[in-house]
Amino acid sequence: MADSIGEVAGKIWTYLSDNGPSSVNKITVETGENKNDIQRAIGWLLKEDKLNIELVGRAETLSLK
């Protein structure tokens, strides 16, 4: 399971690198990954100090550090 979460984390990182800051919902839709896996991968990236999270209105926006 950890390997698959690592792969999703890589997809999120690549998506943000290519597209800039994005909402969690947009990343989920655009990558086609399972919402739970996206949330786990966000946690992984946060622990690795790779992400910023900003609340914009009601949406969490992720960006790379």
Side-chain angles (χ1 to χ4, degrees):
M1 180 177 221
D3 290 339
S4 66
I5 300 304
E7 290 174 18
V8 175
K11 287 182 181 182
I12 292 170
W13 194 95
T14 300
Y15 181 86
L16 292 171
S17 178
D18 292 345
N19 298 288
S22 300
S23 70
V24 174
N25 188 51
K26 184 172 183 178
I27 293 168
T28 302
V29 170
E30 294 289 323
T31 61
E33 295 294 333
N34 176 293
K35 184 178 177 180
N36 289 333
D37 289 346
I38 291 287
Q39 293 296 333
R40 290 179 183 112
I42 289 169
W44 176 309
L45 290 167
L46 286 170
K47 185 171 189 267
E48 296 293 319
D49 200 31
K50 305 285 184 190
L51 288 182
N52 291 314
I53 296 181
E54 182 181 355
L55 191 59
V56 178
R58 293 179 45 188
E60 289 181 347
T61 299
L62 304 178
S63 61
L64 297 176
K65 283 194 173 183

PDB file of all heavy atoms in Angstrom, residues 23-46:
ATOM      1  N   SER A  23      -6.833  23.192  -6.286  1.00  0.00           N
ATOM      2  CA  SER A  23      -7.655  22.672  -5.195  1.00  0.00           C
ATOM      3  C   SER A  23      -7.512  21.147  -5.125  1.00  0.00           C
ATOM      4  O   SER A  23      -7.183  20.494  -6.122  1.00  0.00           O
ATOM      5  CB  SER A  23      -9.122  23.036  -5.401  1.00  0.00           C
ATOM      6  OG  SER A  23      -9.661  22.308  -6.489  1.00  0.00           O
ATOM      7  N   VAL A  24      -7.776  20.625  -3.954  1.00  0.00           N
ATOM      8  CA  VAL A  24      -7.739  19.181  -3.762  1.00  0.00           C
ATOM      9  C   VAL A  24      -8.739  18.511  -4.702  1.00  0.00           C
ATOM     10  O   VAL A  24      -8.429  17.485  -5.323  1.00  0.00           O
ATOM     11  CB  VAL A  24      -8.034  18.814  -2.293  1.00  0.00           C
ATOM     12  CG1 VAL A  24      -8.132  17.311  -2.116  1.00  0.00           C
ATOM     13  CG2 VAL A  24      -6.976  19.400  -1.370  1.00  0.00           C
ATOM     14  N   ASN A  25      -9.918  19.094  -4.843  1.00  0.00           N
ATOM     15  CA  ASN A  25     -10.936  18.525  -5.721  1.00  0.00           C
ATOM     16  C   ASN A  25     -10.453  18.477  -7.171  1.00  0.00           C
ATOM     17  O   ASN A  25     -10.621  17.466  -7.855  1.00  0.00           O
ATOM     18  CB  ASN A  25     -12.237  19.320  -5.614  1.00  0.00           C
ATOM     19  CG  ASN A  25     -13.365  18.649  -6.355  1.00  0.00           C
ATOM     20  OD1 ASN A  25     -13.619  17.467  -6.160  1.00  0.00           O
ATOM     21  ND2 ASN A  25     -14.029  19.391  -7.214  1.00  0.00           N
ATOM     22  N   LYS A  26      -9.848  19.540  -7.641  1.00  0.00           N
ATOM     23  CA  LYS A  26      -9.360  19.586  -9.022  1.00  0.00           C
ATOM     24  C   LYS A  26      -8.272  18.536  -9.248  1.00  0.00           C
ATOM     25  O   LYS A  26      -8.269  17.846 -10.266  1.00  0.00           O
ATOM     26  CB  LYS A  26      -8.834  20.976  -9.362  1.00  0.00           C
ATOM     27  CG  LYS A  26      -8.400  21.102 -10.800  1.00  0.00           C
ATOM     28  CD  LYS A  26      -8.073  22.521 -11.157  1.00  0.00           C
ATOM     29  CE  LYS A  26      -7.709  22.602 -12.636  1.00  0.00           C
ATOM     30  NZ  LYS A  26      -7.438  23.966 -13.053  1.00  0.00           N
ATOM     31  N   ILE A  27      -7.372  18.400  -8.295  1.00  0.00           N
ATOM     32  CA  ILE A  27      -6.310  17.400  -8.417  1.00  0.00           C
ATOM     33  C   ILE A  27      -6.911  16.006  -8.455  1.00  0.00           C
ATOM     34  O   ILE A  27      -6.503  15.167  -9.266  1.00  0.00           O
ATOM     35  CB  ILE A  27      -5.314  17.535  -7.247  1.00  0.00           C
ATOM     36  CG1 ILE A  27      -4.559  18.857  -7.369  1.00  0.00           C
ATOM     37  CG2 ILE A  27      -4.348  16.358  -7.218  1.00  0.00           C
ATOM     38  CD1 ILE A  27      -3.765  19.233  -6.138  1.00  0.00           C
ATOM     39  N   THR A  28      -7.903  15.749  -7.616  1.00  0.00           N
ATOM     40  CA  THR A  28      -8.557  14.443  -7.588  1.00  0.00           C
ATOM     41  C   THR A  28      -9.201  14.132  -8.932  1.00  0.00           C
ATOM     42  O   THR A  28      -9.017  13.045  -9.489  1.00  0.00           O
ATOM     43  CB  THR A  28      -9.612  14.391  -6.464  1.00  0.00           C
ATOM     44  OG1 THR A  28      -8.980  14.674  -5.219  1.00  0.00           O
ATOM     45  CG2 THR A  28     -10.274  13.032  -6.383  1.00  0.00           C
ATOM     46  N   VAL A  29      -9.934  15.098  -9.480  1.00  0.00           N
ATOM     47  CA  VAL A  29     -10.612  14.899 -10.766  1.00  0.00           C
ATOM     48  C   VAL A  29      -9.600  14.739 -11.894  1.00  0.00           C
ATOM     49  O   VAL A  29      -9.700  13.817 -12.709  1.00  0.00           O
ATOM     50  CB  VAL A  29     -11.579  16.071 -11.056  1.00  0.00           C
ATOM     51  CG1 VAL A  29     -12.103  16.005 -12.474  1.00  0.00           C
ATOM     52  CG2 VAL A  29     -12.725  16.068 -10.054  1.00  0.00           C
ATOM     53  N   GLU A  30      -8.617  15.613 -11.942  1.00  0.00           N
ATOM     54  CA  GLU A  30      -7.658  15.625 -13.046  1.00  0.00           C
ATOM     55  C   GLU A  30      -6.743  14.398 -13.059  1.00  0.00           C
ATOM     56  O   GLU A  30      -6.352  13.945 -14.128  1.00  0.00           O
ATOM     57  CB  GLU A  30      -6.814  16.896 -13.007  1.00  0.00           C
ATOM     58  CG  GLU A  30      -7.599  18.166 -13.267  1.00  0.00           C
ATOM     59  CD  GLU A  30      -8.047  18.311 -14.705  1.00  0.00           C
ATOM     60  OE1 GLU A  30      -7.287  17.936 -15.620  1.00  0.00           O
ATOM     61  OE2 GLU A  30      -9.160  18.815 -14.931  1.00  0.00           O
ATOM     62  N   THR A  31      -6.377  13.898 -11.883  1.00  0.00           N
ATOM     63  CA  THR A  31      -5.494  12.729 -11.845  1.00  0.00           C
ATOM     64  C   THR A  31      -6.270  11.422 -11.958  1.00  0.00           C
ATOM     65  O   THR A  31      -5.677  10.394 -12.286  1.00  0.00           O
ATOM     66  CB  THR A  31      -4.657  12.690 -10.549  1.00  0.00           C
ATOM     67  OG1 THR A  31      -5.531  12.598  -9.431  1.00  0.00           O
ATOM     68  CG2 THR A  31      -3.744  13.905 -10.440  1.00  0.00           C
ATOM     69  N   GLY A  32      -7.576  11.462 -11.650  1.00  0.00           N
ATOM     70  CA  GLY A  32      -8.382  10.254 -11.710  1.00  0.00           C
ATOM     71  C   GLY A  32      -8.106   9.277 -10.574  1.00  0.00           C
ATOM     72  O   GLY A  32      -8.509   8.123 -10.636  1.00  0.00           O
ATOM     73  N   GLU A  33      -7.438   9.751  -9.548  1.00  0.00           N
ATOM     74  CA  GLU A  33      -7.102   8.896  -8.408  1.00  0.00           C
ATOM     75  C   GLU A  33      -8.235   8.893  -7.388  1.00  0.00           C
ATOM     76  O   GLU A  33      -9.018   9.835  -7.310  1.00  0.00           O
ATOM     77  CB  GLU A  33      -5.799   9.362  -7.743  1.00  0.00           C
ATOM     78  CG  GLU A  33      -4.576   9.226  -8.617  1.00  0.00           C
ATOM     79  CD  GLU A  33      -4.214   7.786  -8.934  1.00  0.00           C
ATOM     80  OE1 GLU A  33      -4.538   6.890  -8.138  1.00  0.00           O
ATOM     81  OE2 GLU A  33      -3.587   7.559  -9.979  1.00  0.00           O
ATOM     82  N   ASN A  34      -8.277   7.848  -6.593  1.00  0.00           N
ATOM     83  CA  ASN A  34      -9.245   7.686  -5.523  1.00  0.00           C
ATOM     84  C   ASN A  34      -9.060   8.792  -4.484  1.00  0.00           C
ATOM     85  O   ASN A  34      -7.927   9.110  -4.111  1.00  0.00           O
ATOM     86  CB  ASN A  34      -9.025   6.304  -4.905  1.00  0.00           C
ATOM     87  CG  ASN A  34      -9.893   6.021  -3.724  1.00  0.00           C
ATOM     88  OD1 ASN A  34      -9.767   6.640  -2.681  1.00  0.00           O
ATOM     89  ND2 ASN A  34     -10.768   5.047  -3.894  1.00  0.00           N
ATOM     90  N   LYS A  35     -10.170   9.359  -3.999  1.00  0.00           N
ATOM     91  CA  LYS A  35     -10.116  10.466  -3.039  1.00  0.00           C
ATOM     92  C   LYS A  35      -9.330  10.092  -1.782  1.00  0.00           C
ATOM     93  O   LYS A  35      -8.542  10.893  -1.279  1.00  0.00           O
ATOM     94  CB  LYS A  35     -11.535  10.899  -2.671  1.00  0.00           C
ATOM     95  CG  LYS A  35     -11.590  12.092  -1.764  1.00  0.00           C
ATOM     96  CD  LYS A  35     -13.028  12.496  -1.491  1.00  0.00           C
ATOM     97  CE  LYS A  35     -13.078  13.660  -0.518  1.00  0.00           C
ATOM     98  NZ  LYS A  35     -14.437  14.073  -0.224  1.00  0.00           N
ATOM     99  N   ASN A  36      -9.529   8.884  -1.276  1.00  0.00           N
ATOM    100  CA  ASN A  36      -8.800   8.452  -0.077  1.00  0.00           C
ATOM    101  C   ASN A  36      -7.298   8.379  -0.337  1.00  0.00           C
ATOM    102  O   ASN A  36      -6.495   8.766   0.514  1.00  0.00           O
ATOM    103  CB  ASN A  36      -9.314   7.103   0.425  1.00  0.00           C
ATOM    104  CG  ASN A  36     -10.690   7.207   1.025  1.00  0.00           C
ATOM    105  OD1 ASN A  36     -11.093   8.245   1.528  1.00  0.00           O
ATOM    106  ND2 ASN A  36     -11.435   6.118   0.963  1.00  0.00           N
ATOM    107  N   ASP A  37      -6.911   7.878  -1.511  1.00  0.00           N
ATOM    108  CA  ASP A  37      -5.489   7.809  -1.847  1.00  0.00           C
ATOM    109  C   ASP A  37      -4.895   9.205  -1.996  1.00  0.00           C
ATOM    110  O   ASP A  37      -3.753   9.436  -1.594  1.00  0.00           O
ATOM    111  CB  ASP A  37      -5.273   7.008  -3.124  1.00  0.00           C
ATOM    112  CG  ASP A  37      -5.524   5.520  -2.924  1.00  0.00           C
ATOM    113  OD1 ASP A  37      -5.605   5.078  -1.758  1.00  0.00           O
ATOM    114  OD2 ASP A  37      -5.631   4.802  -3.940  1.00  0.00           O
ATOM    115  N   ILE A  38      -5.669  10.130  -2.548  1.00  0.00           N
ATOM    116  CA  ILE A  38      -5.211  11.515  -2.664  1.00  0.00           C
ATOM    117  C   ILE A  38      -4.952  12.097  -1.281  1.00  0.00           C
ATOM    118  O   ILE A  38      -3.907  12.719  -1.034  1.00  0.00           O
ATOM    119  CB  ILE A  38      -6.238  12.383  -3.434  1.00  0.00           C
ATOM    120  CG1 ILE A  38      -6.298  11.987  -4.912  1.00  0.00           C
ATOM    121  CG2 ILE A  38      -5.942  13.870  -3.263  1.00  0.00           C
ATOM    122  CD1 ILE A  38      -5.118  12.413  -5.752  1.00  0.00           C
ATOM    123  N   GLN A  39      -5.881  11.876  -0.355  1.00  0.00           N
ATOM    124  CA  GLN A  39      -5.711  12.406   0.998  1.00  0.00           C
ATOM    125  C   GLN A  39      -4.487  11.798   1.683  1.00  0.00           C
ATOM    126  O   GLN A  39      -3.732  12.507   2.352  1.00  0.00           O
ATOM    127  CB  GLN A  39      -6.979  12.161   1.837  1.00  0.00           C
ATOM    128  CG  GLN A  39      -8.184  12.940   1.360  1.00  0.00           C
ATOM    129  CD  GLN A  39      -8.008  14.447   1.482  1.00  0.00           C
ATOM    130  OE1 GLN A  39      -7.276  14.943   2.309  1.00  0.00           O
ATOM    131  NE2 GLN A  39      -8.701  15.177   0.636  1.00  0.00           N
ATOM    132  N   ARG A  40      -4.285  10.508   1.530  1.00  0.00           N
ATOM    133  CA  ARG A  40      -3.106   9.853   2.113  1.00  0.00           C
ATOM    134  C   ARG A  40      -1.820  10.413   1.503  1.00  0.00           C
ATOM    135  O   ARG A  40      -0.839  10.664   2.208  1.00  0.00           O
ATOM    136  CB  ARG A  40      -3.176   8.348   1.906  1.00  0.00           C
ATOM    137  CG  ARG A  40      -4.250   7.686   2.721  1.00  0.00           C
ATOM    138  CD  ARG A  40      -4.291   6.182   2.447  1.00  0.00           C
ATOM    139  NE  ARG A  40      -5.365   5.564   3.177  1.00  0.00           N
ATOM    140  CZ  ARG A  40      -6.453   5.042   2.621  1.00  0.00           C
ATOM    141  NH1 ARG A  40      -6.600   5.050   1.300  1.00  0.00           N
ATOM    142  NH2 ARG A  40      -7.393   4.504   3.364  1.00  0.00           N
ATOM    143  N   ALA A  41      -1.827  10.604   0.193  1.00  0.00           N
ATOM    144  CA  ALA A  41      -0.644  11.118  -0.492  1.00  0.00           C
ATOM    145  C   ALA A  41      -0.356  12.567  -0.085  1.00  0.00           C
ATOM    146  O   ALA A  41       0.814  12.956   0.032  1.00  0.00           O
ATOM    147  CB  ALA A  41      -0.824  11.013  -2.007  1.00  0.00           C
ATOM    148  N   ILE A  42      -1.389  13.350   0.145  1.00  0.00           N
ATOM    149  CA  ILE A  42      -1.196  14.719   0.637  1.00  0.00           C
ATOM    150  C   ILE A  42      -0.501  14.670   1.996  1.00  0.00           C
ATOM    151  O   ILE A  42       0.448  15.427   2.244  1.00  0.00           O
ATOM    152  CB  ILE A  42      -2.534  15.477   0.702  1.00  0.00           C
ATOM    153  CG1 ILE A  42      -3.038  15.785  -0.706  1.00  0.00           C
ATOM    154  CG2 ILE A  42      -2.401  16.759   1.526  1.00  0.00           C
ATOM    155  CD1 ILE A  42      -4.467  16.289  -0.769  1.00  0.00           C
ATOM    156  N   GLY A  43      -0.941  13.781   2.859  1.00  0.00           N
ATOM    157  CA  GLY A  43      -0.292  13.606   4.150  1.00  0.00           C
ATOM    158  C   GLY A  43       1.174  13.244   4.003  1.00  0.00           C
ATOM    159  O   GLY A  43       2.039  13.758   4.712  1.00  0.00           O
ATOM    160  N   TRP A  44       1.457  12.360   3.074  1.00  0.00           N
ATOM    161  CA  TRP A  44       2.836  11.933   2.784  1.00  0.00           C
ATOM    162  C   TRP A  44       3.670  13.158   2.381  1.00  0.00           C
ATOM    163  O   TRP A  44       4.764  13.374   2.909  1.00  0.00           O
ATOM    164  CB  TRP A  44       2.789  10.912   1.661  1.00  0.00           C
ATOM    165  CG  TRP A  44       4.097  10.405   1.130  1.00  0.00           C
ATOM    166  CD1 TRP A  44       5.157  11.134   0.710  1.00  0.00           C
ATOM    167  CD2 TRP A  44       4.457   9.047   0.939  1.00  0.00           C
ATOM    168  NE1 TRP A  44       6.145  10.315   0.259  1.00  0.00           N
ATOM    169  CE2 TRP A  44       5.739   9.033   0.381  1.00  0.00           C
ATOM    170  CE3 TRP A  44       3.802   7.855   1.152  1.00  0.00           C
ATOM    171  CZ2 TRP A  44       6.399   7.841   0.052  1.00  0.00           C
ATOM    172  CZ3 TRP A  44       4.461   6.684   0.820  1.00  0.00           C
ATOM    173  CH2 TRP A  44       5.744   6.672   0.290  1.00  0.00           C
ATOM    174  N   LEU A  45       3.149  13.933   1.429  1.00  0.00           N
ATOM    175  CA  LEU A  45       3.882  15.108   0.943  1.00  0.00           C
ATOM    176  C   LEU A  45       4.043  16.174   2.024  1.00  0.00           C
ATOM    177  O   LEU A  45       5.076  16.839   2.091  1.00  0.00           O
ATOM    178  CB  LEU A  45       3.187  15.682  -0.290  1.00  0.00           C
ATOM    179  CG  LEU A  45       3.283  14.807  -1.544  1.00  0.00           C
ATOM    180  CD1 LEU A  45       2.304  15.296  -2.603  1.00  0.00           C
ATOM    181  CD2 LEU A  45       4.698  14.788  -2.092  1.00  0.00           C
ATOM    182  N   LEU A  46       3.042  16.326   2.874  1.00  0.00           N
ATOM    183  CA  LEU A  46       3.158  17.276   3.984  1.00  0.00           C
ATOM    184  C   LEU A  46       4.236  16.836   4.964  1.00  0.00           C
ATOM    185  O   LEU A  46       5.033  17.655   5.434  1.00  0.00           O
ATOM    186  CB  LEU A  46       1.813  17.427   4.703  1.00  0.00           C
ATOM    187  CG  LEU A  46       0.761  18.220   3.957  1.00  0.00           C
ATOM    188  CD1 LEU A  46      -0.592  18.084   4.654  1.00  0.00           C
ATOM    189  CD2 LEU A  46       1.161  19.680   3.848  1.00  0.00           C
TER     190      LEU A  46
END
